[in-house]
Amino acid sequence: MEPSAIIADVLSVANTSRLIAHLFQTQMQRNRERRQRKLREYLNSERGMDLLQSAGPRPLDIMVAMGHVDPMERRCWARETSTDWWDRIVLQVWDESQWLRNFRMRKCTFMELCELLSPALKRQDTRMRAALTIQKRVAIALWKLATPDSYRSVANQFGVGKSTVGVAVMQVARAIVDLLLHKVVTLGDVQAIIDGFAAMGFPNCGGAIDGTHIPILGPEHQGGQYINRKGYFSMVLQALVDHKGRFTNINVGWPGKVHDARVFKNSGLFRRLQQGVYFPDHKITVGDVEMPTVILGDPAYPLMPWLMKPYTGALDTEKELFNYRLSKCRMVVECAFGRLKARWRSLLTRSDLSPKNIPIVIAACCVLHNLCEIKGETFMQGWEVEANRLSADYAQPDTRAIRRSQREAVRIREALKARFQTERGNE
Protein backbone atom coordinates (compact mmCIF):
# COMPACT_ATOMS: atom_id res chain seq x y z
CA MET A 1 0.00 0.00 0.00
CA GLU A 2 1.23 3.46 -0.88
CA PRO A 3 2.31 5.69 2.06
CA SER A 4 -0.18 8.31 0.93
CA ALA A 5 -3.01 5.77 1.17
CA ILE A 6 -1.97 4.68 4.66
CA ILE A 7 -1.89 8.29 5.83
CA ALA A 8 -5.33 8.88 4.36
CA ASP A 9 -6.76 5.85 6.18
CA VAL A 10 -5.26 6.95 9.52
CA LEU A 11 -6.67 10.45 9.13
CA SER A 12 -10.07 8.98 8.29
CA VAL A 13 -10.07 6.83 11.46
CA ALA A 14 -8.95 9.79 13.57
CA ASN A 15 -11.69 12.02 12.15
CA THR A 16 -14.27 9.30 12.82
CA SER A 17 -13.08 8.95 16.44
CA ARG A 18 -13.28 12.71 16.96
CA LEU A 19 -16.79 12.70 15.52
CA ILE A 20 -17.90 9.87 17.84
CA ALA A 21 -16.38 11.60 20.89
CA HIS A 22 -18.11 14.87 19.93
CA LEU A 23 -21.48 13.14 19.58
CA PHE A 24 -21.00 11.36 22.91
CA GLN A 25 -20.09 14.59 24.71
CA THR A 26 -23.06 16.35 23.13
CA GLN A 27 -25.43 13.58 24.30
CA MET A 28 -23.96 13.66 27.80
CA GLN A 29 -24.42 17.44 27.94
CA ARG A 30 -28.04 17.12 26.85
CA ASN A 31 -28.69 14.44 29.49
CA ARG A 32 -27.03 16.60 32.15
CA GLU A 33 -29.14 19.62 31.19
CA ARG A 34 -32.30 17.50 31.21
CA ARG A 35 -31.52 16.14 34.72
CA GLN A 36 -30.74 19.61 36.03
CA ARG A 37 -34.01 20.92 34.56
CA LYS A 38 -35.96 18.14 36.26
CA LEU A 39 -34.15 18.82 39.52
CA ARG A 40 -35.03 22.53 39.37
CA GLU A 41 -38.65 21.67 38.68
CA TYR A 42 -38.63 19.27 41.62
CA LEU A 43 -37.06 21.79 44.01
CA ASN A 44 -39.57 24.44 42.94
CA SER A 45 -42.45 22.13 43.76
CA GLU A 46 -44.19 22.27 47.17
CA ARG A 47 -42.30 19.23 48.51
CA GLY A 48 -39.02 20.62 47.21
CA MET A 49 -39.59 23.93 49.03
CA ASP A 50 -40.20 22.02 52.25
CA LEU A 51 -36.92 20.24 51.81
CA LEU A 52 -35.06 23.48 51.12
CA GLN A 53 -36.45 24.98 54.30
CA SER A 54 -35.16 22.02 56.34
CA ALA A 55 -31.86 20.26 55.87
CA GLY A 56 -31.77 20.09 52.06
CA PRO A 57 -32.78 17.27 49.77
CA ARG A 58 -31.78 13.76 50.71
CA PRO A 59 -29.62 11.86 48.21
CA LEU A 60 -32.42 9.40 47.54
CA ASP A 61 -34.86 12.25 46.77
CA ILE A 62 -32.41 13.76 44.27
CA MET A 63 -31.92 10.36 42.63
CA VAL A 64 -35.69 10.01 42.32
CA ALA A 65 -35.93 13.46 40.79
CA MET A 66 -33.16 12.71 38.32
CA GLY A 67 -34.90 9.56 37.22
CA HIS A 68 -32.25 7.15 38.50
CA VAL A 69 -34.70 5.27 40.72
CA ASP A 70 -38.45 4.99 40.84
CA PRO A 71 -40.21 6.59 43.81
CA MET A 72 -41.56 4.02 46.26
CA GLU A 73 -42.52 3.72 49.90
CA ARG A 74 -39.59 2.90 52.23
CA ARG A 75 -39.83 -0.51 53.83
CA CYS A 76 -37.68 -2.48 56.25
CA TRP A 77 -35.26 -4.63 54.29
CA ALA A 78 -35.70 -8.26 55.25
CA ARG A 79 -36.51 -11.60 53.70
CA GLU A 80 -40.24 -12.23 53.77
CA THR A 81 -40.79 -14.84 56.45
CA SER A 82 -43.71 -15.84 58.63
CA THR A 83 -43.66 -15.07 62.33
CA ASP A 84 -47.24 -16.12 62.97
CA TRP A 85 -46.15 -19.26 64.84
CA TRP A 86 -44.25 -17.24 67.47
CA ASP A 87 -46.59 -14.25 67.65
CA ARG A 88 -49.95 -15.99 67.54
CA ILE A 89 -49.35 -19.55 68.71
CA VAL A 90 -46.48 -19.64 71.21
CA LEU A 91 -47.13 -16.31 72.94
CA GLN A 92 -50.90 -16.54 72.94
CA VAL A 93 -51.91 -20.20 72.87
CA TRP A 94 -49.23 -22.41 74.44
CA ASP A 95 -49.86 -23.67 77.95
CA GLU A 96 -47.21 -24.09 80.68
CA SER A 97 -46.39 -27.69 79.76
CA GLN A 98 -45.60 -26.67 76.18
CA TRP A 99 -43.37 -23.86 77.40
CA LEU A 100 -41.58 -26.21 79.76
CA ARG A 101 -41.12 -28.92 77.16
CA ASN A 102 -39.69 -26.60 74.51
CA PHE A 103 -37.98 -23.79 76.44
CA ARG A 104 -37.17 -25.76 79.63
CA MET A 105 -39.03 -23.23 81.77
CA ARG A 106 -42.51 -21.90 82.34
CA LYS A 107 -43.65 -18.72 80.62
CA CYS A 108 -43.41 -16.68 83.83
CA THR A 109 -39.76 -17.68 84.32
CA PHE A 110 -39.07 -16.97 80.65
CA MET A 111 -40.51 -13.46 80.94
CA GLU A 112 -38.52 -12.84 84.11
CA LEU A 113 -35.35 -13.93 82.30
CA CYS A 114 -36.10 -11.53 79.45
CA GLU A 115 -36.53 -8.70 81.93
CA LEU A 116 -33.19 -9.50 83.59
CA LEU A 117 -31.44 -9.53 80.20
CA SER A 118 -33.14 -6.45 78.76
CA PRO A 119 -30.35 -3.97 79.67
CA ALA A 120 -27.95 -5.86 77.39
CA LEU A 121 -30.41 -6.91 74.67
CA LYS A 122 -32.30 -3.71 73.90
CA ARG A 123 -32.12 -2.88 70.19
CA GLN A 124 -33.64 -0.12 68.07
CA ASP A 125 -35.25 -0.39 64.65
CA THR A 126 -33.18 0.97 61.79
CA ARG A 127 -34.20 2.28 58.37
CA MET A 128 -33.10 -1.04 56.90
CA ARG A 129 -34.51 -3.56 59.38
CA ALA A 130 -36.91 -3.93 62.29
CA ALA A 131 -35.16 -5.25 65.39
CA LEU A 132 -36.26 -8.59 66.85
CA THR A 133 -37.93 -8.26 70.22
CA ILE A 134 -36.01 -9.32 73.32
CA GLN A 135 -38.51 -12.12 73.91
CA LYS A 136 -38.04 -13.55 70.44
CA ARG A 137 -34.25 -13.45 70.61
CA VAL A 138 -34.23 -15.16 74.00
CA ALA A 139 -36.70 -17.76 72.70
CA ILE A 140 -34.52 -18.49 69.66
CA ALA A 141 -31.47 -18.91 71.88
CA LEU A 142 -33.22 -21.20 74.38
CA TRP A 143 -34.70 -23.31 71.59
CA LYS A 144 -31.27 -23.76 69.99
CA LEU A 145 -29.61 -24.58 73.32
CA ALA A 146 -32.36 -27.01 74.34
CA THR A 147 -32.39 -29.03 71.11
CA PRO A 148 -29.88 -30.56 68.71
CA ASP A 149 -31.75 -28.83 65.85
CA SER A 150 -29.78 -27.18 63.06
CA TYR A 151 -29.59 -23.42 62.60
CA ARG A 152 -31.75 -23.72 59.49
CA SER A 153 -34.41 -25.70 61.34
CA VAL A 154 -34.61 -23.13 64.14
CA ALA A 155 -34.64 -20.29 61.60
CA ASN A 156 -37.60 -21.82 59.77
CA GLN A 157 -39.39 -22.40 63.07
CA PHE A 158 -39.19 -18.74 64.07
CA GLY A 159 -39.42 -17.18 60.62
CA VAL A 160 -35.94 -15.61 60.64
CA GLY A 161 -32.73 -16.01 58.67
CA LYS A 162 -30.25 -18.76 59.50
CA SER A 163 -27.54 -16.24 60.41
CA THR A 164 -29.99 -14.49 62.73
CA VAL A 165 -30.19 -17.64 64.85
CA GLY A 166 -26.41 -17.72 65.34
CA VAL A 167 -26.33 -14.02 66.21
CA ALA A 168 -29.22 -14.38 68.68
CA VAL A 169 -27.61 -17.33 70.46
CA MET A 170 -24.35 -15.45 71.05
CA GLN A 171 -26.08 -12.19 72.01
CA VAL A 172 -28.23 -13.93 74.60
CA ALA A 173 -25.37 -16.13 75.89
CA ARG A 174 -23.10 -13.09 76.37
CA ALA A 175 -25.89 -11.20 78.11
CA ILE A 176 -26.50 -14.13 80.47
CA VAL A 177 -22.80 -14.39 81.34
CA ASP A 178 -22.31 -10.62 81.72
CA LEU A 179 -25.44 -9.95 83.79
CA LEU A 180 -26.29 -13.15 85.64
CA LEU A 181 -23.23 -15.40 86.06
CA HIS A 182 -21.95 -13.77 89.25
CA LYS A 183 -25.47 -13.46 90.65
CA VAL A 184 -26.72 -16.98 89.95
CA VAL A 185 -23.57 -19.15 90.01
CA THR A 186 -22.49 -18.23 93.52
CA LEU A 187 -21.73 -19.89 96.85
CA GLY A 188 -24.77 -18.57 98.65
CA ASP A 189 -25.60 -19.73 102.19
CA VAL A 190 -22.58 -21.83 103.21
CA GLN A 191 -24.15 -23.08 106.43
CA ALA A 192 -27.19 -24.36 104.56
CA ILE A 193 -24.87 -26.25 102.19
CA ILE A 194 -22.90 -27.75 105.10
CA ASP A 195 -26.14 -28.80 106.80
CA GLY A 196 -27.38 -30.34 103.54
CA PHE A 197 -24.28 -32.49 103.07
CA ALA A 198 -24.26 -33.41 106.77
CA ALA A 199 -27.79 -34.74 106.39
CA MET A 200 -26.48 -36.87 103.50
CA GLY A 201 -23.71 -38.28 105.70
CA PHE A 202 -20.60 -36.11 105.32
CA PRO A 203 -19.71 -33.44 107.93
CA ASN A 204 -18.43 -29.92 107.24
CA CYS A 205 -18.67 -30.29 103.46
CA GLY A 206 -19.09 -27.22 101.26
CA GLY A 207 -19.48 -28.85 97.86
CA ALA A 208 -18.65 -31.60 95.39
CA ILE A 209 -16.33 -31.08 92.43
CA ASP A 210 -15.93 -32.85 89.10
CA GLY A 211 -15.24 -32.21 85.44
CA THR A 212 -17.16 -33.15 82.30
CA HIS A 213 -16.26 -33.08 78.61
CA ILE A 214 -18.36 -31.12 76.13
CA PRO A 215 -17.94 -32.43 72.54
CA ILE A 216 -16.85 -29.88 69.92
CA LEU A 217 -15.71 -29.83 66.30
CA GLY A 218 -11.95 -29.99 65.88
CA PRO A 219 -10.43 -26.47 65.96
CA GLU A 220 -8.28 -25.36 63.03
CA HIS A 221 -5.31 -24.59 65.27
CA GLN A 222 -3.84 -26.89 67.95
CA GLY A 223 -6.63 -29.38 67.35
CA GLY A 224 -4.60 -32.20 68.93
CA GLN A 225 -4.84 -30.50 72.31
CA TYR A 226 -8.61 -30.98 72.28
CA ILE A 227 -8.62 -34.75 71.71
CA ASN A 228 -9.50 -36.46 74.99
CA ARG A 229 -8.74 -40.01 76.14
CA LYS A 230 -11.87 -41.29 74.36
CA GLY A 231 -10.59 -39.96 71.04
CA TYR A 232 -13.01 -37.12 70.30
CA PHE A 233 -12.57 -33.34 70.44
CA SER A 234 -13.87 -31.78 73.64
CA MET A 235 -13.68 -28.87 76.05
CA VAL A 236 -13.62 -29.35 79.82
CA LEU A 237 -16.20 -27.91 82.20
CA GLN A 238 -15.14 -28.03 85.86
CA ALA A 239 -17.88 -27.36 88.40
CA LEU A 240 -18.41 -27.22 92.13
CA VAL A 241 -22.00 -27.88 93.21
CA ASP A 242 -23.95 -27.61 96.44
CA HIS A 243 -26.10 -30.28 98.08
CA LYS A 244 -29.01 -29.45 95.77
CA GLY A 245 -27.00 -29.85 92.57
CA ARG A 246 -26.68 -26.14 91.83
CA PHE A 247 -23.43 -24.82 90.45
CA THR A 248 -21.54 -22.60 92.90
CA ASN A 249 -18.32 -22.26 90.86
CA ILE A 250 -17.46 -23.12 87.26
CA ASN A 251 -14.33 -23.10 85.13
CA VAL A 252 -14.66 -23.75 81.40
CA GLY A 253 -12.39 -23.56 78.38
CA TRP A 254 -9.55 -26.02 78.90
CA PRO A 255 -8.88 -28.43 75.99
CA GLY A 256 -10.08 -32.01 76.41
CA LYS A 257 -6.57 -33.44 76.54
CA VAL A 258 -5.85 -31.72 79.85
CA HIS A 259 -6.24 -33.81 83.03
CA ASP A 260 -8.87 -32.76 85.57
CA ALA A 261 -6.22 -32.23 88.24
CA ARG A 262 -4.35 -29.74 86.05
CA VAL A 263 -7.55 -27.86 85.23
CA PHE A 264 -8.30 -27.68 88.94
CA LYS A 265 -4.81 -26.60 89.99
CA ASN A 266 -4.88 -23.72 87.49
CA SER A 267 -8.32 -22.48 88.54
CA GLY A 268 -9.19 -19.57 90.76
CA LEU A 269 -11.14 -21.97 92.96
CA PHE A 270 -7.96 -23.90 93.82
CA ARG A 271 -6.08 -20.72 94.74
CA ARG A 272 -8.86 -19.49 97.03
CA LEU A 273 -9.23 -22.87 98.71
CA GLN A 274 -5.46 -23.07 99.17
CA GLN A 275 -5.43 -19.61 100.72
CA GLY A 276 -8.35 -20.51 102.96
CA VAL A 277 -10.55 -17.66 101.74
CA TYR A 278 -13.20 -19.46 99.67
CA PHE A 279 -15.25 -20.70 102.64
CA PRO A 280 -15.74 -18.86 105.93
CA ASP A 281 -13.38 -20.10 108.64
CA HIS A 282 -15.46 -22.94 110.05
CA LYS A 283 -13.52 -25.86 111.53
CA ILE A 284 -14.76 -28.89 113.40
CA THR A 285 -12.89 -31.45 115.48
CA VAL A 286 -12.87 -35.05 114.25
CA GLY A 287 -11.21 -37.29 116.80
CA ASP A 288 -8.15 -35.25 117.71
CA VAL A 289 -7.84 -33.54 114.32
CA GLU A 290 -9.13 -30.13 113.24
CA MET A 291 -10.98 -30.30 109.96
CA PRO A 292 -11.72 -27.24 107.79
CA THR A 293 -14.68 -27.01 105.44
CA VAL A 294 -13.90 -29.47 102.65
CA ILE A 295 -15.01 -30.27 99.13
CA LEU A 296 -15.38 -33.79 97.74
CA GLY A 297 -13.71 -35.11 94.59
CA ASP A 298 -13.02 -38.37 92.79
CA PRO A 299 -9.61 -40.11 92.62
CA ALA A 300 -8.49 -37.77 89.82
CA TYR A 301 -8.07 -34.95 92.37
CA PRO A 302 -5.25 -34.55 94.89
CA LEU A 303 -5.94 -35.32 98.56
CA MET A 304 -5.73 -32.00 100.39
CA PRO A 305 -6.73 -30.85 103.90
CA TRP A 306 -9.70 -29.13 102.25
CA LEU A 307 -10.37 -31.80 99.56
CA MET A 308 -11.40 -35.34 100.46
CA LYS A 309 -11.29 -38.16 97.90
CA PRO A 310 -11.96 -41.93 98.06
CA TYR A 311 -9.47 -44.56 99.08
CA THR A 312 -8.05 -46.61 96.20
CA GLY A 313 -6.35 -49.99 96.02
CA ALA A 314 -7.12 -52.73 98.53
CA LEU A 315 -10.06 -51.69 100.72
CA ASP A 316 -11.13 -52.94 104.13
CA THR A 317 -14.62 -52.43 105.56
CA GLU A 318 -13.71 -49.08 107.15
CA LYS A 319 -12.37 -47.69 103.88
CA GLU A 320 -15.37 -49.01 102.00
CA LEU A 321 -17.67 -47.23 104.44
CA PHE A 322 -15.74 -43.99 104.01
CA ASN A 323 -15.90 -44.33 100.21
CA TYR A 324 -19.63 -45.04 100.38
CA ARG A 325 -20.31 -41.91 102.44
CA LEU A 326 -18.16 -39.76 100.15
CA SER A 327 -19.58 -41.23 96.94
CA LYS A 328 -23.15 -40.75 98.14
CA CYS A 329 -22.53 -37.03 98.61
CA ARG A 330 -20.35 -36.62 95.53
CA MET A 331 -23.09 -38.02 93.30
CA VAL A 332 -24.79 -34.61 93.38
CA VAL A 333 -22.23 -33.20 90.93
CA GLU A 334 -22.71 -36.07 88.48
CA CYS A 335 -26.48 -35.62 88.73
CA ALA A 336 -26.05 -31.88 88.12
CA PHE A 337 -24.08 -32.54 84.93
CA GLY A 338 -26.76 -34.99 83.82
CA ARG A 339 -29.56 -32.51 84.36
CA LEU A 340 -27.54 -29.70 82.75
CA LYS A 341 -27.03 -31.68 79.54
CA ALA A 342 -30.54 -33.13 79.49
CA ARG A 343 -32.05 -29.65 79.69
CA TRP A 344 -29.63 -28.02 77.25
CA ARG A 345 -29.07 -30.83 74.77
CA SER A 346 -26.86 -28.75 72.47
CA LEU A 347 -24.08 -29.63 74.97
CA LEU A 348 -24.40 -33.27 73.92
CA THR A 349 -23.61 -32.70 70.24
CA ARG A 350 -20.45 -31.30 68.71
CA SER A 351 -20.57 -27.52 68.88
CA ASP A 352 -19.56 -25.74 65.68
CA LEU A 353 -18.78 -22.47 67.46
CA SER A 354 -15.27 -21.10 67.70
CA PRO A 355 -13.14 -22.06 70.73
CA LYS A 356 -13.56 -18.46 71.89
CA ASN A 357 -17.37 -18.63 71.91
CA ILE A 358 -17.92 -22.17 73.18
CA PRO A 359 -17.02 -21.32 76.83
CA ILE A 360 -19.53 -18.46 76.76
CA VAL A 361 -22.35 -20.76 75.66
CA ILE A 362 -21.41 -23.47 78.19
CA ALA A 363 -21.28 -20.92 81.01
CA ALA A 364 -24.67 -19.53 79.92
CA CYS A 365 -26.15 -23.05 80.08
CA CYS A 366 -24.81 -23.42 83.64
CA VAL A 367 -26.54 -20.17 84.60
CA LEU A 368 -29.79 -21.35 82.99
CA HIS A 369 -29.49 -24.66 84.85
CA ASN A 370 -29.23 -22.84 88.18
CA LEU A 371 -32.09 -20.53 87.29
CA CYS A 372 -34.35 -23.51 86.51
CA GLU A 373 -33.34 -25.26 89.73
CA ILE A 374 -33.87 -22.13 91.83
CA LYS A 375 -37.29 -21.52 90.27
CA GLY A 376 -38.29 -25.12 90.81
CA GLU A 377 -38.82 -25.84 87.12
CA THR A 378 -39.90 -29.43 86.52
CA PHE A 379 -37.29 -31.80 85.12
CA MET A 380 -39.09 -34.14 82.74
CA GLN A 381 -37.95 -37.74 82.85
CA GLY A 382 -38.10 -38.07 79.09
CA TRP A 383 -35.27 -35.57 78.80
CA GLU A 384 -32.84 -37.93 80.50
CA VAL A 385 -33.71 -40.74 78.11
CA GLU A 386 -33.08 -38.50 75.11
CA ALA A 387 -29.86 -37.22 76.66
CA ASN A 388 -28.57 -40.76 77.17
CA ARG A 389 -29.27 -41.51 73.53
CA LEU A 390 -27.43 -38.43 72.30
CA SER A 391 -24.47 -38.90 74.65
CA ALA A 392 -23.87 -42.51 73.63
CA ASP A 393 -21.38 -41.43 70.96
CA TYR A 394 -19.42 -39.23 73.38
CA ALA A 395 -18.70 -41.26 76.53
CA GLN A 396 -16.89 -39.44 79.31
CA PRO A 397 -13.16 -40.26 79.44
CA ASP A 398 -11.74 -42.15 82.39
CA THR A 399 -9.38 -40.08 84.53
CA ARG A 400 -6.13 -41.30 85.99
CA ALA A 401 -5.99 -41.43 89.77
CA ILE A 402 -3.68 -38.92 91.46
CA ARG A 403 -1.81 -40.40 94.42
CA ARG A 404 -0.25 -37.21 95.75
CA SER A 405 -1.42 -36.28 99.22
CA GLN A 406 -0.44 -34.09 102.14
CA ARG A 407 0.21 -35.54 105.58
CA GLU A 408 -2.43 -33.35 107.20
CA ALA A 409 -4.96 -34.45 104.59
CA VAL A 410 -4.22 -38.10 105.33
CA ARG A 411 -4.79 -37.51 109.04
CA ILE A 412 -8.14 -35.85 108.39
CA ARG A 413 -9.29 -38.67 106.13
CA GLU A 414 -8.20 -41.30 108.65
CA ALA A 415 -10.07 -39.47 111.41
CA LEU A 416 -13.21 -39.32 109.28
CA LYS A 417 -12.91 -43.02 108.49
CA ALA A 418 -12.76 -43.83 112.19
CA ARG A 419 -15.69 -41.55 112.95
CA PHE A 420 -17.88 -43.14 110.28
CA GLN A 421 -17.06 -46.59 111.65
CA THR A 422 -17.97 -45.47 115.19
CA GLU A 423 -21.26 -43.96 114.00
CA ARG A 424 -22.06 -47.17 112.20
CA GLY A 425 -21.43 -49.18 115.37
CA ASN A 426 -23.77 -46.91 117.32
CA GLU A 427 -26.65 -47.30 114.89
Side-chain angles (χ1 to χ4, degrees):
M1 183 178 289
E2 295 293 330
S4 58
I6 294 174
I7 294 173
D9 288 343
V10 171
L11 291 176
S12 175
V13 171
N15 289 334
T16 301
S17 299
R18 282 198 296 270
L19 178 61
I20 292 173
H22 174 71
L23 292 174
F24 180 79
Q25 290 175 355
T26 301
Q27 186 62 36
M28 290 291 292
Q29 180 65 25
R30 289 175 180 173
N31 290 341
R32 190 179 302 112
E33 290 174 354
R34 184 164 59 252
R35 288 195 297 269
Q36 290 175 348
R37 184 169 62 254
K38 288 183 178 180
L39 177 60
R40 285 195 298 271
E41 292 172 359
Y42 174 78
L43 294 177
N44 288 332
S45 66
E46 180 179 354
R47 184 183 177 201
M49 292 302 294
D50 290 339
L51 288 171
L52 287 172
Q53 292 171 2
S54 58
R58 294 176 299 174
L60 180 61
D61 295 323
I62 294 175
M63 292 175 69
V64 170
M66 294 172 66
H68 288 183
V69 296
D70 295 327
M72 62 182 294
E73 180 183 357
R74 179 181 295 277
R75 296 187 303 169
C76 292
W77 177 80
R79 183 167 63 91
E80 291 295 331
T81 54
S82 173
T83 63
D84 287 351
W85 175 77
W86 166 252
D87 295 328
R88 300 182 182 180
I89 304 299
V90 178
L91 286 178
Q92 299 182 26
V93 177
W94 273 15
D95 58 24
E96 294 290 28
S97 66
Q98 290 172 300
W99 275 88
L100 181 65
R101 192 161 53 247
N102 292 283
F103 296 109
R104 290 351 197 203
M105 58 186 69
R106 294 164 296 167
K107 186 177 181 180
C108 58
T109 304
F110 173 86
M111 290 301 179
E112 184 177 342
L113 175 63
C114 292
E115 185 65 26
L116 292 171
L117 299 180
S118 62
L121 293 180
K122 284 181 180 177
R123 297 290 188 273
Q124 293 183 341
D125 294 347
T126 67
R127 291 182 177 180
M128 301 300 289
R129 184 183 293 274
L132 293 180
T133 64
I134 293 174
Q135 289 81 7
K136 190 168 186 178
R137 268 180 291 156
V138 173
I140 290 171
L142 295 188
W143 189 286
K144 185 68 180 74
L145 295 176
T147 67
D149 293 356
S150 66
Y151 287 96
R152 185 178 301 278
S153 174
V154 179
N156 293 337
Q157 191 79 29
F158 284 87
V160 298
K162 187 172 73 170
S163 62
T164 302
V165 175
V167 171
V169 168
M170 288 313 304
Q171 284 179 347
V172 172
R174 285 194 179 95
I176 290 172
V177 171
D178 291 343
L179 298 179
L180 302 181
L181 179 62
H182 296 294
K183 296 179 181 179
V184 178
V185 180
T186 184
L187 190 56
D189 188 345
V190 177
Q191 190 57 52
I193 297 174
I194 290 174
D195 293 342
F197 279 112
M200 296 167 65
F202 210 99
N204 212 27
C205 176
I209 190 170
D210 202 358
T212 189
H213 288 252
I214 308 298
I216 64 172
L217 291 177
E220 293 182 1
H221 305 289
Q222 298 181 331
Q225 294 297 314
Y226 288 86
I227 300 177
N228 61 37
R229 291 168 65 87
K230 285 293 184 178
Y232 62 88
F233 296 96
S234 67
M235 189 171 284
V236 178
L237 164 63
Q238 173 191 279
L240 182 71
V241 306
D242 64 13
H243 61 296
K244 292 185 176 181
R246 296 181 293 207
F247 299 115
T248 57
N249 183 279
I250 62 172
N251 183 291
V252 60
W254 281 83
K257 188 177 181 179
V258 180
H259 192 279
D260 285 355
R262 183 182 170 195
V263 174
F264 178 50
K265 194 169 183 180
N266 285 276
S267 67
L269 175 63
F270 179 91
R271 290 190 294 272
R272 282 177 281 170
L273 287 167
Q274 185 82 317
Q275 295 165 3
V277 297
Y278 186 72
F279 293 116
D281 187 14
H282 180 268
K283 294 181 179 179
I284 64 172
T285 301
V286 181
D288 59 351
V289 178
E290 274 198 340
M291 172 185 168
T293 303
V294 300
I295 63 175
L296 308 179
D298 64 18
Y301 291 91
L303 182 65
M304 307 288 287
W306 38 263
L307 193 157
M308 293 290 104
K309 57 184 277 187
Y311 288 96
T312 56
L315 303 178
D316 56 23
T317 56
E318 292 183 356
K319 291 180 179 179
E320 287 178 349
L321 177 59
F322 176 89
N323 286 1
Y324 169 77
R325 289 275 195 101
L326 186 145
S327 178
K328 181 181 177 182
C329 293
R330 202 187 63 80
M331 283 293 292
V332 294
V333 66
E334 296 180 3
C335 291
F337 284 147
R339 291 166 76 93
L340 167 74
K341 295 178 182 181
R343 273 198 177 102
W344 313 110
R345 287 179 292 170
S346 62
L347 300 179
L348 292 169
T349 57
R350 293 187 299 172
S351 174
D352 58 357
L353 298 172
S354 69
K356 180 180 67 175
N357 288 334
I358 291 174
I360 298 173
V361 171
I362 296 174
C365 289
C366 292
V367 174
L368 292 170
H369 165 87
N370 274 16
L371 184 65
C372 290
E373 294 292 326
I374 292 169
K375 294 294 181 180
E377 299 295 344
T378 302
F379 181 85
M380 294 186 171
Q381 294 304 314
W383 297 348
E384 192 170 2
V385 175
E386 177 66 11
N388 290 336
R389 184 186 67 81
L390 291 172
S391 63
D393 294 333
Y394 303 105
Q396 290 297 304
D398 297 325
T399 52
R400 301 184 306 275
I402 299 296
R403 301 191 181 280
R404 295 191 304 270
S405 61
Q406 295 183 4
R407 182 177 300 177
E408 183 64 21
V410 172
R411 293 181 65 225
I412 293 173
R413 187 167 68 172
E414 288 294 308
L416 283 169
K417 181 187 69 172
R419 172 172 170 170
F420 294 162
Q421 187 64 28
T422 300
E423 290 174 350
R424 185 180 189 179
N426 293 333
E427 290 177 354

